[in-house]
Amino acid sequence: MSSIRTKTAEHLSYAWVTIPHVTQFNEADITIFETARKAFNAKVEKDGGKLTITSFLLKSLQQH
């Protein structure tokens, strides 16, 4: 068991120094996206899908 703890400690220490620890908070007005999502949601649900804000965000990112 001690060898597992040693390896775990080594990997955690490595991750702590190599992975950047960043937290960022931004605010955005998504009123237009939410209005469009609600407008198209009935059709999407009728076809068996689920329309979420994530799909709009991914499409937005794909355009740039």
Side-chain angles (χ1 to χ4, degrees):
M1 187 69 161
S2 63
S3 63
I4 293 173
R5 286 186 181 182
T6 303
K7 282 293 182 190
T8 302
E10 288 173 6
H11 287 285
L12 287 174
S13 297
Y14 176 76
W16 182 259
V17 284
T18 57
I19 299 172
H21 295 78
V22 178
T23 302
Q24 182 175 348
F25 296 97
N26 291 328
E27 292 185 17
D29 182 14
I30 61 167
T31 307
I32 295 171
F33 289 122
E34 192 61 22
T35 304
R37 186 189 69 79
K38 287 179 181 178
F40 291 112
N41 199 28
K43 182 182 183 318
V44 173
E45 283 183 352
K46 187 178 92 174
D47 294 337
K50 184 175 180 183
L51 188 60
T52 64
I53 197 70
T54 305
S55 58
F56 285 96
L57 294 173
L58 290 174
K59 187 66 175 174
S60 169
L61 291 171
Q62 184 182 30
Q63 298 296 324
H64 289 87

